[in-house]
Amino acid sequence: VGDDKYDRSWEDRWIRDAGYSKFIPEAVSGLLKKCNLSPKDIAKVCYPCLYARDHANMGRKLGFDPAQIQDHMLTAVGYTGTPNALMMLAAALEDAKPGDRILAASYGNGSDAIFFQVTDEIERAKNKRGIKEYLSSKKPLSNYEKYLHFRDMIPVEESPRTELSPTWISTQWREHKWIVGFVGSRCKRCGTPQYPGQRVCVKPDCGAIDEMEDYRFSDKKGRLFTYTGDNLGTCPDLPGVYGMVDFEGGGRALLDVTDCNLDELKVDMPVEMSFRRKYYDKQRGVYSYWWKAVPLKQ
Ligand SMILES: [Zn+2]
């Protein structure tokens, strides 16, 4: 709730005995009955649980084999609360084939259970960025103090070099297309893209004025033209890494580089864009987001 620093929950008996171990089996077996199905008709069942052993026990009691039970993600991600069941469903769909029957149940104020049958359309959804790809690109944090700082549990001296200025909310609203949408401009005369959008073409021998169209950069890959690591700036995860990115198809922008170690970076390394939190303005309670460059594995 609000700025609570710690998760709060009541005692385990309330969560377990009077909670998930009662609601989830009731929802799952109730839905199976309603659909005239038995556990063996189901390819994958997805339901969250706070404890790995209870998760397995619950599935067994319901009559599912371990192979039918979708991984709980407790070891790879942890308990994510409300999204947990949906993340498990997304992960189940990544391995699903047409005809598979999938059952997904949530846990919160009670339990909702939904039954799905996979169609041929699943093939079109494959090879999109999903749970697997995000898990394979995760970066473990080796420094626990950094984690405490990320969670605002220990005070850290802010760098005097780059104190945050107040969030200009009106500017964020006015320029939301180029901030949130990562939309720049492309010259209609010579085709040169540029970010942020320009009125005057940046190509020296073109000179077109006000002949621009919107051009989206968020879906373009790029290459690192230059980069640096800054140990003195304001960044929760020092060193702050940023660099110039040249986009495929043209255009260049100065961006934070994230999900990487400084010593892994190389000039000309391919990167892709990712929408991330830029900072949190504590005084005004404003979270600010922008696009960052993420190095692609080669
Ligand atoms: Zn031009």
Side-chain angles (χ1 to χ4, degrees), residues 167-209:
T167 305
W168 297 321
I169 297 171
S170 49
T171 307
Q172 292 212 337
W173 174 76
R174 194 169 55 240
E175 309 292 356
H176 70 275
K177 206 167 175 177
W178 73 261
I179 297 171
V180 181
F182 211 32
V183 170
S185 62
R186 178 165 58 188
C187 176
K188 283 197 262 189
R189 201 189 289 179
C190 74
T192 303
Q194 188 55 35
Y195 185 87
Q198 304 290 323
R199 286 185 59 195
V200 180
C201 182
V202 293
K203 202 175 171 189
D205 53 357
C206 174
I209 299 172

Side-chain angles (χ1 to χ4, degrees), residues 265-276:
L265 295 184
K266 288 186 187 75
V267 164
D268 209 36
M269 201 173 194
V271 294
E272 64 176 358
M273 298 303 113
S274 181
F275 192 61
R276 295 299 176 89

Side-chain angles (χ1 to χ4, degrees), residues 15 21 33 41 49 80 88-89 107 127 143 149 157 168 170 180 196 200-201 209 211 219-220 222 236 248 257 265 287:
I15 298 159
S21 60
K33 202 175 162 194
D41 300 318
C49 185
T80 57
M88 291 168 72
L89 174 62
Y107 171 61
N127 302 321
N143 183 329
H149 175 40
E157 189 184 7
W168 297 321
S170 49
V180 181
V200 180
C201 182
I209 299 172
E211 291 184 50
D219 57 349
K220 307 288 184 298
E248 63 181 13
V257 185
L265 295 184
Y287 289 94

